[in-house]
């Protein structure tokens, strides 16, 4: 039985005041379930605040990105070991906004994935196709190439044993459009199958989250699918009540 995860990617939102309010509401109000984990991904500058407010609670925290280098003259970059210093256990890797807006190609994403592992972080590897790619019927090819880049570099599926996957169709991110549960399930099953070809045990244990306009209204139907192990939530994770309700809708699985 895979434990579900409800993760909040805050993207570039928040102030010290709003972070204080959001995390206080979450820690005070969350009724923890044994079958669902909660993780938040604040911007780097709020990680210390997150550590202070969340340590000792059931809520975990992580970073939205890490540098593709370990240390050195890379102005403006933040390394995996730096974020580990804030007791982060997770980092997003290869989010579609990093790929499309900051030129992160598969090789760079794979390098970041390995640096996260070396720093003992659990990478949350994001994959997903654009609308044009979906319309051209290339969805499976694109996500399988994105996952394949990691499997190749890692020399097998073993590195996925301490990793999480997130399928986020780019056309569903921040648009209000959501993949139907069936559309998402099809891709999740395919990704799991791709890992299973190398290592069936790891594939069975791998958590694959869905992301793209997850809301209270669609969460339950998505999470009820056999290969959807929770959600990576953007906009709706900035509202404590909405995020808590999404967490609770994962419990029912
Ligand atoms: P939205 O939930 O705002 O569509 O964002 C999804 C996402 O990109 C999470 O990483």
């Amino acid at each position: 039985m895979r434990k579900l995860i409800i993760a909040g990617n805050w993207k570039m939102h928040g102030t010290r005041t709003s972070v204080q309010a959001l995390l206080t509401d979450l820690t005070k109000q969350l009724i923890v379930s044994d079958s669902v984990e909660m993780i938040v991904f604040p911007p780097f500058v709020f990680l210390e605040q997150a550590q202070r407010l969340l340590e000792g609670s059931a809520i975990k925290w992580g970073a939205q990105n890490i540098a593709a280098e370990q240390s050195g003259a890379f102005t403006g970059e933040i390394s995996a070991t730096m974020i580990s210093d804030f007791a982060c256990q997770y980092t997003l890797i290869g989010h579609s906004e990093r790929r499309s807006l900051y030129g992160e190609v598969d090789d760079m994403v794979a390098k970041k994935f390995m640096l996260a592992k070396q720093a003992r972080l659990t990478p949350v590897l994001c994959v997903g196709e654009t609308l044009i790619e979906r319309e051209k019927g290339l969805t499976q090819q694109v996500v399988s190439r994105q996952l394949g880049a990691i499997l190749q570099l890692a020399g097998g599926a073993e590195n996925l044993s301490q990793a999480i996957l997130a399928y986020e169709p780019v056309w569903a991110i921040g648009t209000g459009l959501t993949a139907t549960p069936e559309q998402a399930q099809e891709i999740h099953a395919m990704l799991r199958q791709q890992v299973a070809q190398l290592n069936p045990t790891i594939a069975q244990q791998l958590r694959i989250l869905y992301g793209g306009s997850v809301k209270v209204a669609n969460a339950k139907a998505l999470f009820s699918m056999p290969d959807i192990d929770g959600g990576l939530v953007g906009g709706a994770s900035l509202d404590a009540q909405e995020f808590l309700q999404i967490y609770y809708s994962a419990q029912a699985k």
Side-chain angles (χ1 to χ4, degrees), residues 20-236:
Q20 173 82 27
L22 176 53
L23 292 182
T24 305
D25 283 351
L26 290 177
T27 47
K28 282 205 173 134
Q29 294 175 36
L30 176 67
I31 303 164
V32 182
S33 153
D34 284 344
S35 58
V36 192
E37 291 174 40
M38 181 183 280
I39 311 173
V40 292
F41 291 90
F44 291 125
V45 291
F46 301 126
L47 286 177
E48 184 166 15
Q49 200 180 359
Q51 179 180 9
R52 188 160 32 81
L53 291 166
L54 297 178
E55 230 155 26
S57 83
I59 306 171
K60 306 280 196 301
W61 59 101
Q64 296 173 16
N65 180 34
I66 53 166
E69 304 292 339
Q70 244 158 358
S71 65
F74 302 103
T75 302
E77 291 292 281
I78 297 188
S79 73
T81 41
M82 287 174 186
I83 64 157
S84 300
D85 230 6
F86 293 89
C88 285
Q89 293 176 35
Y90 303 88
T91 180
L92 302 182
I93 297 285
H95 189 278
S96 69
E97 285 149 19
R98 302 295 318 170
R99 293 179 192 258
S100 68
L101 303 172
Y102 300 97
E104 292 195 10
V105 293
D106 288 343
D107 282 357
M108 190 193 283
V109 171
K111 200 169 171 201
K112 290 186 176 195
F113 183 93
M114 295 311 287
L115 285 169
K117 300 282 296 186
Q118 281 163 24
R120 299 194 183 286
L121 295 166
T122 299
V124 181
L125 173 71
C126 304
V127 300
E129 82 287 4
T130 63
L131 184 57
I132 294 172
E133 288 163 342
R134 175 160 282 264
E135 284 171 353
K136 285 188 179 159
L138 295 174
T139 300
Q140 301 209 354
Q141 201 175 314
V142 168
V143 297
S144 136
R145 189 206 71 223
Q146 290 169 336
L147 175 60
I150 301 300
L151 294 173
Q152 229 176 10
L153 186 98
E158 280 61 36
N159 273 308
L160 285 179
S161 67
Q162 291 298 330
I164 297 163
L165 214 54
Y167 169 55
E168 300 203 301
V170 178
W171 49 271
I173 295 178
T175 57
L177 297 172
T178 323
T180 63
E182 293 73 21
Q183 277 174 325
Q185 165 59 26
E186 184 190 8
I187 304 304
H188 282 231
M190 190 220 83
L191 290 167
R192 197 180 302 287
Q193 185 51 34
Q194 188 176 351
V195 179
Q197 278 165 3
L198 298 168
N199 188 320
T201 311
I202 289 174
Q204 211 37 50
Q205 289 162 354
L206 181 66
R207 267 94 57 92
I208 309 180
L209 314 183
Y210 169 79
S213 298
V214 175
K215 306 267 181 292
V216 176
N218 56 30
K220 207 169 180 164
L222 285 161
F223 303 155
S224 69
M225 290 289 149
D227 288 292
I228 300 184
D229 306 310
L232 181 53
V233 186

